Amino acid sequence: MTLLNKSYFLTSICAILFSTSSIMAQEKIEKYIVEKGETVTQIAKKFNVTPYDIYKLNPDAQSGLKPNSVLLIPKAKAKNNDTALRTTAKSTSKTHVVLAKETLFGIEKKYNVTDEELKKANPDLVKYGLQIGQVLNIPSKGSAKKTTVVNNKPVFHTVLPKETKYSIAKQYGISIEELERKNPDIVSNLTVGYELLIKGQRPENKATSTDVETKKTDAKLSIAEIIESPTFVNYTIKSKETFYSLSKQFGLSQQELTVLNPILVNGVQEGMIIKVPTQSNQVVTNSVKQNVVLTKPSSNDKKTLVLLLPFNVEKMDPATSLTVDKLNEDKFLNMTLDFYSGAMMAIDSAKQIGVNVDVKVFDSNESKSTSNVSTIFNNTTLLNTDAVIGPFYQSNVEKTANILKENNVPVISPLSKDDANPIPNLYQSIISNSDLKTGMFNFLNAKQGNIIAVIDKKKETIRKYILENQKDVKIAPLTATGGVNIEGFKAQLVKDKMNYVILETANTAMIKYTIKAMLDVMATYQVQLVILESNDTLDTDDIYFENLTKLHLMYPSVTRENNSPEALLFMQSYRNKNKVNPSTFAIRGFDVTFDTLMRLSQGKSYQETAEMMVTEQIESKFDYQKNKEGNFVNNGFYILYYDTDLTVKEAK
């Protein structure tokens, strides 16, 4: 630490100590030592005060709480007296108690006051932001009118993906006609990124739809080693968004988001306007990706799609007829034919809605280490195809991508979960097992629960992974014989938050003991069972399914159960055409092929759609991200859980 930093650090400490002594001299204050995992909201509830009261005495708490740090807590009586004093002093004004999910804009609209008036009447708003439970002084209507005439600052709204004129007009309580009158450029088309004028007059130098520029700021994060020289934009939090979805969308952790936006310490609330960087040194292709439903082509240009599927016809004995029994014995060919049947349905469906495509199907004639892709692409006309799906084996997919790399033809790996070598035109359409595991931990960490891992001695790989990469996870103690130490496990549980118990064992006895221990404490603790990958032991008769539903067994999955009308229509159409229900590989063939065709028909390159769009098909999500190695990987997956009604649902 330099002398300058030491001086600054000492000055800051002195300022905090002086402020603390002054406050404690005026109010009855309690000191509270923060326990691991506690939040300001939980502590406020414990002392019958509001989070705002705590932030007022402890400004640094807005950046997060650290275990064993000391908080100053006002006594509830002192808080009530403070409220009464403020109410008496402003007897001519109204007051408003801030509720969950309320925003400054909503409150200002409710009482017909401007942002400047409200902040002038409540100086703490500028310093601490809007907090749940805060008592606001509302200026009188007369003063509101007077100030409005003098200070008529314009209010703008930046159009986000999937927003409509109707949703924006409804948000601000105006009509679509008024919105269009103030913004003539949007009459024919509403453009993402356009800055809409909501109130006041647009300055002459304000950007329009033909001149939308990203606003820049000199603000620097204290976590500069994570984000360097950021450019910021405002983002309005939408319904059902969570820390997890925001973290994934902007490539920032919950802590990084909170440092940027202290208002998030109380949690994510609809309508909040937060600051997010448009660039960071993390591998983020696009700071805001559109979640789109691709149902219609926006371009009629004819595209060429090549399918490389391992029928392996050359390896068949021409003297032997292909019977059903032999087909069933050849699982690899069976899988290939299922994938092909799904792909053909996707091609038919795409053509029916107007996709102009020429599809060429080739036998890749492959094994794990050999294929005939080089022979296929000796035909130079195929080197300029628009996209290739296949082959199946990772080594053969990579060989294909290398052949087509100079022409930047996207090659989509349809089935492999292997980690890929760095090839810029290669797209891994299934998330790898390692990324799936990391995604599950990111989800759990975003939930701010207490995570305990029950790991048997045969799972040393996962134990090592957790010790090295997930240091906040507690590992349950084992007995001398290798079983779970029940009393030690129970001692690791935490009240007033969800306890996520990760089960990493195939041992039936260990599973049953863990489940019984969790069921026994459900009256006192919140518990949920979690697995990181498929566990066949849980599907045996030794484990009661009802217990798994009681514990809401949660797990990551590359596919989901989809009962939407579109999915049911696909199932019915497939049965009508093939006389059987579609297998996993048939659905996969449809999803990958239909997604590829729709991306090709958007008037953009496949790479551009990968950088801009997140899509969902029958069972799969496609959220391509460019990794640090340089190729694109699909980060689309689902967090699913067993519900007590015996159905599988998606966790939010």
Side-chain angles (χ1 to χ4, degrees):
M1 183 183 288
T2 64
L3 289 174
L4 182 62
N5 286 338
K6 286 181 179 178
S7 173
Y8 173 77
F9 182 73
L10 184 60
T11 303
S12 301
I13 292 295
C14 290
I16 292 171
L17 289 175
F18 176 77
S19 173
T20 301
S21 62
S22 300
I23 292 169
M24 293 186 70
Q26 297 173 29
E27 297 186 62
K28 293 181 180 179
I29 302 295
E30 293 185 42
K31 290 183 179 179
Y32 179 75
I33 298 176
V34 178
E35 296 179 6
K36 186 175 180 181
E38 282 192 307
T39 65
V40 169
T41 303
Q42 291 170 342
I43 297 170
K45 188 176 181 181
K46 183 182 294 186
F47 286 93
N48 196 26
V49 297
T50 68
Y52 168 73
D53 296 319
I54 295 178
Y55 290 130
K56 190 174 180 181
L57 293 180
N58 307 270
D60 290 344
Q62 297 183 75
S63 299
L65 298 182
K66 294 182 179 179
N68 301 319
S69 61
V70 178
L71 284 181
L72 301 178
I73 309 293
K75 289 191 175 179
K77 186 177 179 181
K79 184 197 79 167
N80 292 336
N81 288 341
D82 181 59
T83 302
L85 285 171
R86 282 185 282 127
T87 305
T88 303
K90 297 280 184 178
S91 57
T92 57
S93 301
K94 296 179 183 178
T95 59
H96 176 86
V97 179
V98 178
L99 303 176
K101 296 189 178 182
E102 283 195 305
T103 63
L104 275 177
F105 181 82
I107 295 169
E108 289 158 4
K109 182 185 172 188
K110 180 177 181 180
Y111 294 102
N112 192 26
V113 296
T114 66
D115 185 67
E116 185 177 351
E117 290 165 359
L118 191 63
K119 289 178 178 175
K120 187 176 181 181
N122 303 271
D124 286 346
L125 279 176
V126 178
K127 191 172 182 180
Y128 304 113
L130 195 65
Q131 307 291 344
I132 299 172
Q134 184 177 2
V135 179
L136 296 178
N137 296 305
I138 308 299
S140 63
K141 210 167 185 180
S143 64
K145 287 183 179 178
K146 181 179 178 182
T147 309
T148 303
V149 174
V150 177
N151 299 297
N152 189 24
K153 291 185 178 180
V155 175
F156 292 93
H157 174 90
T158 303
V159 179
L160 301 173
K162 299 182 77 174
E163 284 192 316
T164 63
K165 295 179 191 177
Y166 174 77
S167 66
I168 297 169
K170 185 178 179 182
Q171 180 179 345
Y172 291 97
I174 61 178
S175 66
I176 294 177
E177 290 75 17
E178 184 179 353
L179 190 67
E180 290 182 337
R181 179 171 54 79
K182 288 181 177 291
N183 304 273
D185 290 346
I186 70 166
V187 173
S188 59
N189 184 39
L190 185 66
T191 306
V192 174
Y194 181 78
E195 288 205 326
L196 291 170
L197 177 65
I198 305 298
K199 288 186 192 177
Q201 299 295 320
R202 188 187 295 273
E204 290 183 6
N205 61 349
K206 193 69 181 176
T208 64
S209 60
T210 57
D211 186 27
V212 177
E213 294 184 349
T214 305
K215 298 176 182 177
K216 294 187 178 180
T217 176
D218 292 331
K220 297 290 171 91
L221 288 175
S222 61
I223 43 176
E225 70 275 7
I226 299 175
I227 303 175
E228 299 173 351
S229 303
T231 300
F232 297 102
V233 294
N234 288 333
Y235 178 81
T236 303
I237 294 176
K238 298 187 284 296
S239 174
K240 297 183 179 180
E241 287 193 305
T242 63
F243 265 123
Y244 175 72
S245 64
L246 293 172
S247 296
K248 190 170 181 182
Q249 183 172 354
F250 296 109
L252 299 177
S253 69
Q254 178 176 335
Q255 180 187 2
E256 293 157 15
L257 282 167
T258 307
V259 170
L260 268 174
N261 305 277
I263 193 175
L264 289 175
V265 292
N266 278 338
V268 175
Q269 298 174 19
E270 181 182 357
M272 281 182 174
I273 298 176
I274 61 173
K275 179 173 57 177
V276 295
T278 56
Q279 293 180 349
S280 76
N281 69 349
Q282 292 185 336
V283 184
V284 181
T285 309
N286 201 50
S287 61
V288 182
K289 297 182 76 172
Q290 297 183 51
N291 289 279
V292 297
V293 179
L294 299 177
T295 56
K296 291 184 179 180
S298 58
S299 170
N300 196 40
D301 294 341
K302 191 166 189 175
K303 303 294 181 180
T304 301
L305 173 67
V306 170
L307 298 180
L308 299 179
L309 306 180
F311 299 107
N312 293 343
V313 174
E314 292 181 9
K315 297 177 183 178
M316 295 180 186
D317 185 351
T320 306
S321 60
L322 186 62
T323 65
V324 173
D325 289 339
K326 288 183 179 179
L327 178 60
N328 288 333
E329 289 173 5
D330 191 337
K331 293 182 179 179
F332 192 71
L333 177 58
N334 210 27
M335 176 184 72
T336 302
L337 293 175
D338 281 354
F339 186 94
Y340 174 74
S341 67
M344 289 299 102
M345 281 204 66
I347 294 164
D348 289 342
S349 299
K351 287 182 176 179
Q352 286 177 18
I353 60 175
V355 175
N356 190 1
V357 61
D358 180 20
V359 179
K360 300 180 185 296
V361 182
F362 294 92
D363 183 359
S364 55
N365 196 32
E366 62 181 298
S367 65
K368 198 167 186 177
S369 57
T370 63
S371 72
N372 66 346
V373 295
S374 296
T375 304
I376 292 171
F377 288 103
N378 280 339
N379 181 347
T380 55
T381 60
L382 293 177
L383 295 178
N384 290 313
T385 191
D386 294 291
V388 175
I389 296 175
F392 282 3
Y393 284 114
Q394 183 65 30
S395 59
N396 298 328
V397 171
E398 292 181 4
K399 183 177 182 180
T400 306
N402 277 317
I403 292 173
L404 300 171
K405 184 166 60 176
E406 280 190 24
N407 296 63
N408 197 28
V409 175
V411 177
I412 298 95
S413 176
L415 295 176
S416 174
K417 295 182 181 180
D418 295 341
D419 292 326
N421 287 311
I423 308 172
N425 59 321
L426 177 59
Y427 296 79
Q428 295 290 112
S429 71
I430 297 184
I431 187 170
S432 68
N433 289 328
S434 58
D435 287 341
L436 194 63
K437 187 188 306 173
T438 301
M440 186 75 223
F441 275 110
N442 289 342
F443 178 85
L444 295 178
N445 290 329
K447 290 290 187 179
Q448 293 186 307
N450 178 46
I451 309 174
I452 304 171
V454 177
I455 310 171
D456 75 16
K457 292 182 176 180
K458 296 180 180 179
K459 296 277 189 174
E460 282 306 310
T461 302
I462 186 64
R463 183 186 297 272
K464 183 179 179 183
Y465 167 83
I466 290 175
L467 289 172
E468 292 178 355
N469 301 285
Q470 306 294 336
K471 299 186 185 298
D472 290 333
V473 176
K474 301 172 184 176
I475 297 182
L478 302 180
T479 64
T481 58
V484 61
N485 183 325
I486 299 299
E487 293 307 314
F489 163 72
K490 289 181 179 179
Q492 293 176 322
L493 298 169
V494 175
K495 289 185 178 179
D496 301 323
K497 63 166 54 180
M498 180 60 74
N499 293 274
Y500 296 107
V501 180
I502 298 175
L503 196 58
E504 277 295 317
T505 177
N507 185 289
T508 302
M510 197 173 195
I511 292 173
K512 293 175 78 171
Y513 279 124
T514 304
I515 289 175
K516 184 179 185 305
M518 293 177 69
L519 293 173
D520 288 344
V521 300
M522 283 187 72
T524 309
Y525 296 93
Q526 301 176 61
V527 291
Q528 185 167 7
L529 187 62
V530 178
I531 56 175
L532 301 177
E533 57 189 2
S534 178
N535 189 332
D536 293 337
T537 309
L538 295 177
D539 292 331
T540 63
D541 294 336
D542 293 323
I543 308 300
Y544 293 119
F545 181 74
E546 292 80 0
N547 288 338
L548 300 181
T549 63
K550 287 178 184 177
L551 295 173
H552 294 297
L553 174 65
M554 184 161 60
Y555 57 97
S557 175
V558 296
T559 60
R560 60 172 174 171
E561 290 190 9
N562 186 358
N563 294 315
S564 68
E566 295 80 8
L568 295 176
L569 179 61
F570 163 78
M571 298 292 183
Q572 182 180 348
S573 300
Y574 189 94
R575 281 194 299 269
N576 291 342
K577 186 172 184 178
N578 299 284
K579 311 306 178 187
V580 293
N581 287 324
S583 69
T584 299
F585 295 106
I587 298 174
R588 184 70 190 166
F590 179 91
D591 282 359
V592 174
T593 307
F594 190 78
D595 188 75
T596 301
L597 290 172
M598 294 310 299
R599 287 177 182 273
L600 291 177
S601 66
Q602 298 307 303
K604 300 177 176 64
S605 70
Y606 190 92
Q607 180 173 331
E608 286 175 317
T609 68
E611 292 171 345
M612 297 170 58
M613 300 175 180
V614 179
T615 62
E616 288 185 277
Q617 302 305 339
I618 302 300
E619 282 189 352
S620 305
K621 180 186 293 184
F622 298 92
D623 180 8
Y624 289 108
Q625 303 283 346
K626 196 167 189 177
N627 62 16
K628 60 185 178 182
E629 284 78 26
N631 50 291
F632 286 86
V633 294
N634 182 14
N635 281 341
F637 68 99
Y638 300 94
I639 305 293
L640 307 177
Y641 70 95
Y642 291 175
D643 205 353
T644 48
D645 62 1
L646 308 184
T647 62
V648 176
K649 291 186 172 65
E650 184 179 354
K652 301 296 184 182

